[in-house]
């Protein structure tokens, strides 16, 4: 009897243990499934990010390079016969050639604050182990301004190299670059995240935007009469924690501001600059969230640039130039005219629906009838040049010769004659 009871108890214990291990096994399986799911989700996110990056790379490789700066090209799908339209953005930055000021800190000793700068904080000139090039390290919270960069013409370019430490924190300050109107030497200290001077255009860069994405952010503000007139922010793919060195280029064309980062056009603001005199460049930042985060700047260059041909022609409807030169008493275009003709050709390529009238003018030297005939021939030469070299359809261009009939200056002086020997372009509505 005792033996039978003992066997029964053993069977009960064995069944209980079996149920316990079964439940434990089921829990382990569910836990493993959750772990696998989490890993799959994470891997899926990583794969998706990689796929998106590959899409952008493939898209860049597929973009056609056409003659000049075409704004739009069309491809035909051989299987379906449908047209595929590819939008191509023109990389149109042209550096000014008349240098106003440069800064590479060659005159400064390592460890010193540069002699041609002012600050209400501190900073020091440094080099990196792999180069002798000098950089200005901007320290925590402060304003910095180069003394020699005190003239910002209506048409100018400004270029600068920027470097940040790796793994830059989102909570650390962005780098702000402000083009401002200053009256006193200390006016550069008026600018900050929570204060501003009277007139300024401010652009900011940060290598780490919100969230975990490896992408930067850029913003701009327009301050006029101490008030915020405009602002906006965009993602910055060309400068981030994976690419922490940037060539930043600004192009001012009267009221317009364009900004490029590593060749990518980030901002194109038609009315950023107001009708005031901008005469200072100010760099400012606030507290670093991580003391190890630093900005370094070098290779600053400010240069006077030519007039914005495209803006004048396409947006205002007219453009007049005496930079298109011809052989004396002939309609043969000189090689020195290529720059302005290139600007006009690119403008017409980028705006394929625009039609223009080309009008030639001369000074009063010679016979009036000869001048009228010569001006018409020169206008026709410009039309042919744009057609041959930029593929502009001749049907989009009308020509006219006015000779000496419409002077804009006194023909009694050489300077006046030079102004009267001009070519006018006007958009046909």
């Amino acid at each position: 009897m005792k033996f039978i009871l003992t066997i029964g108890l053993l069977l009960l214990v064995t069944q209980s243990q079996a149920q316990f291990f079964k439940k434990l096994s089921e829990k382990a399986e569910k836990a493993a499934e959750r772990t696998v799911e989490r890993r799959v989700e994470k891997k899926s996110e990583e794969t998706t990010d990689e796929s998106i990056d590959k899409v952008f790379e493939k898209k860049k490789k597929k973009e056609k390079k056409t003659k000049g700066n075409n704004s739009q090209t069309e491809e035909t799908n051989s299987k379906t016969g449908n047209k595929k339209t590819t939008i191509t953005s023109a990389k149109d930055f042209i550096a000014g050639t008349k240098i106003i000021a440069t800064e590479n800190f060659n005159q400064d000793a390592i460890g010193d604050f540069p002699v041609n700068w002012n600050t209400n904080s501190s900073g020091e000139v440094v080099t990196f182990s792999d180069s002798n090039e000098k950089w200005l390290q901007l320290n925590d919270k402060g304003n910095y301004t180069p003394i020699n960069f005190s003239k910002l013409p209506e048409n100018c370019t400004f270029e600068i190299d920027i470097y940040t430490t790796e793994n830059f924190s989102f909570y650390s300050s962005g780098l702000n670059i402000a083009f401002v109107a200053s009256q006193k030497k200390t006016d550069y200290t008026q600018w900050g995240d929570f204060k501003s001077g009277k007139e300024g255009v401010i652009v900011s860069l940060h290598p780490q935007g919100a969230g975990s994405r490896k992408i930067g952010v850029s913003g701009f503000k327009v301050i006029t009469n101490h008030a915020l007139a405009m602002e906006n922010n965009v993602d910055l793919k060309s400068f981030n924690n994976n690419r922490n060195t940037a060539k930043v280029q600004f192009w001012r064309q009267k009221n317009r501001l364009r900004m490029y980062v590593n060749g990518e056009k980030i901002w194109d603001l038609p009315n950023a600059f107001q009708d005031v005199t901008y005469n200072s460049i100010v760099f400012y930042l606030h507290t670093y969230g991580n003391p190890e985060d630093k900005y370094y700047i070098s290779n600053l260059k400010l240069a006077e640039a030519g007039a914005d041909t495209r803006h004048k022609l396409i947006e205002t409807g007219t453009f007049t130039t005496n930079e298109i030169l011809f052989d004396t008493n002939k309609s043969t275009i000189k090689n020195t005219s290529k720059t302005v003709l290139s600007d006009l050709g690119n403008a017409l390529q980028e705006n394929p629906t625009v039609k223009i009238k080309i009008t030639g003018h001369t000074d009063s030297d010679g016979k009036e009838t000869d001048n009228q005939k010569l001006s018409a021939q020169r206008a026709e030469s410009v039309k042919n040049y744009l057609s041959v070299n930029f593929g502009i359809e001749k049907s989009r261009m009308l020509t006219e010769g006015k000779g000496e009939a419409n002077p804009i200056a006194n023909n009694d002086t050489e300077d006046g004659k030079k102004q009267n020997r001009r070519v006018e372009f006007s958009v046909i509505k």
Side-chain angles (χ1 to χ4, degrees):
M1 189 68 173
K2 287 181 180 181
F3 175 77
I4 294 173
L5 288 173
T6 301
I7 293 298
L9 288 171
L10 286 172
L11 288 173
L12 287 173
V13 169
T14 302
Q15 290 175 356
S16 176
Q17 286 177 335
Q19 290 176 354
F20 170 78
F21 285 118
K22 182 179 180 181
K23 289 180 180 179
L24 186 62
S25 176
E26 289 174 352
K27 288 182 179 181
E29 288 177 359
K30 290 181 179 180
E33 288 175 358
R34 287 196 299 270
T35 300
V36 170
E37 287 173 356
R38 285 195 295 269
R39 289 182 179 177
V40 169
E41 288 173 355
K42 183 178 179 182
K43 184 64 178 177
S44 177
E45 290 175 355
E46 292 174 352
T47 303
T48 301
D49 289 341
E50 291 175 359
S51 299
I52 292 172
D53 290 339
K54 288 179 181 178
V55 168
F56 278 114
E57 290 301 318
K58 288 181 180 178
K59 184 177 179 182
K60 289 179 182 177
K61 291 178 180 177
K62 286 182 179 179
E63 286 177 354
K64 278 192 172 182
K65 290 186 178 180
T66 58
K67 191 174 183 179
N69 287 323
N70 289 340
S71 61
Q72 182 170 308
T73 59
E74 289 186 341
E75 299 174 349
T76 301
N77 188 313
S78 58
K79 293 182 179 180
T80 63
N82 295 328
K83 286 186 176 180
K84 179 183 177 183
T85 301
T86 302
I87 306 300
T88 306
S89 176
K91 294 184 178 180
D92 55 356
F93 177 79
I94 301 174
T97 56
K98 186 177 180 181
I99 306 299
I100 298 173
T102 61
E103 177 65 276
N104 56 16
F105 308 108
N106 282 345
Q107 74 280 1
D108 300 301
I110 301 298
D112 285 354
F113 187 80
V115 296
N116 293 323
W117 286 64
N118 279 331
T119 186
N120 59 358
S121 181
S122 64
E124 60 179 318
V125 175
V126 301
T127 58
F128 300 115
S129 59
D130 57 349
S131 172
N132 292 325
E133 190 174 33
K134 293 182 177 180
W135 296 73
L136 173 59
Q137 175 185 293
L138 305 179
N139 283 358
D140 193 5
K141 193 176 182 181
N143 294 44
Y144 306 80
T145 185
I147 299 171
N148 296 332
F149 289 65
S150 57
K151 178 185 178 183
L152 297 174
E154 287 188 347
N155 293 291
C156 65
T157 59
F158 174 62
E159 301 176 71
I160 181 173
D161 291 344
I162 298 173
Y163 171 76
T164 66
T165 44
E166 297 179 356
N167 299 316
F168 203 94
S169 171
F170 168 73
Y171 299 100
S172 290
S173 173
L175 177 62
N176 298 276
I177 305 172
F179 304 92
V180 305
S182 296
Q183 295 180 342
K184 298 183 297 183
K185 290 183 178 180
T186 57
D187 281 355
Y188 75 93
T189 64
Q190 296 177 354
W191 298 90
D193 281 359
F194 306 106
K195 61 179 181 178
S196 68
K198 186 176 181 180
E199 301 285 345
V201 179
I202 308 155
V203 178
S204 64
L205 300 97
H206 197 297
Q208 179 60 59
S212 59
R213 297 181 303 161
K214 296 290 185 180
I215 196 165
V217 64
S218 178
F220 85 88
K221 293 180 180 179
V222 174
I223 305 295
T224 181
N225 199 23
H226 294 288
L228 177 64
M230 289 190 296
E231 67 174 335
N232 200 1
N233 292 279
V234 295
D235 287 343
L236 193 57
K237 299 173 184 176
S238 50
F239 177 59
N240 51 57
N241 272 334
N242 287 334
R243 189 180 185 184
N244 59 340
T245 301
K247 165 69 74 175
V248 183
Q249 298 163 313
F250 298 90
W251 191 359
R252 180 189 180 186
Q253 296 162 323
K254 195 172 173 57
N255 299 111
R256 192 181 204 115
L257 173 66
R258 294 185 176 99
M259 186 188 83
Y260 308 76
V261 178
N262 289 328
E264 178 188 3
K265 185 190 292 184
I266 306 302
W267 297 111
D268 193 345
L269 309 171
N271 294 298
F273 291 98
Q274 307 306 300
D275 295 329
V276 298
T277 301
Y278 297 85
N279 56 7
S280 297
I281 300 175
V282 179
F283 301 85
Y284 68 86
L285 42 88
H286 60 265
T287 305
Y288 287 122
N290 181 356
E292 301 298 320
D293 292 341
K294 298 293 179 185
Y295 288 102
Y296 303 84
I297 60 175
S298 189
N299 299 319
L300 289 73
K301 182 171 72 173
L302 177 66
E304 191 168 348
D308 183 6
T309 304
R310 279 174 300 185
H311 171 70
K312 287 186 176 180
L313 178 61
I314 303 302
E315 296 182 23
T316 68
T318 61
F319 174 68
T320 302
T321 180
N322 56 11
E323 296 179 17
I324 301 176
L325 303 178
F326 304 86
D327 290 345
T328 303
N329 295 325
K330 294 181 180 180
S331 60
T332 306
I333 299 173
K334 291 186 175 183
N335 287 334
T336 52
S337 309
K338 287 184 177 180
T339 298
V340 66
L341 286 169
S342 178
D343 287 345
L344 289 163
N346 290 333
L348 292 172
Q349 282 186 335
E350 293 170 6
N351 299 273
T353 62
V354 170
K355 296 181 179 181
I356 61 169
K357 181 169 72 173
I358 306 169
T359 305
H361 298 267
T362 68
D363 59 32
S364 61
D365 289 351
K367 293 182 180 180
E368 185 176 347
T369 53
D370 291 343
N371 287 335
Q372 196 282 326
K373 181 180 179 180
L374 181 62
S375 65
Q377 291 173 342
R378 288 178 170 178
E380 192 68 20
S381 289
V382 172
K383 172 182 174 179
N384 290 334
Y385 185 95
L386 294 172
S387 176
V388 171
N389 292 279
F390 293 90
I392 309 304
E393 295 179 4
K394 290 186 176 181
S395 60
R396 294 174 56 193
M397 299 178 285
L398 301 180
T399 61
E400 182 181 23
K402 291 285 185 137
E404 62 186 74
N406 299 113
I408 59 173
N410 192 334
N411 275 305
D412 293 335
T413 67
E414 286 302 318
D415 183 64
K417 291 177 182 180
K418 180 180 178 181
Q419 293 182 57
N420 290 330
R421 295 191 297 267
R422 67 195 189 278
V423 181
E424 291 182 350
F425 300 83
S426 56
V427 174
I428 301 173
K429 301 296 185 182

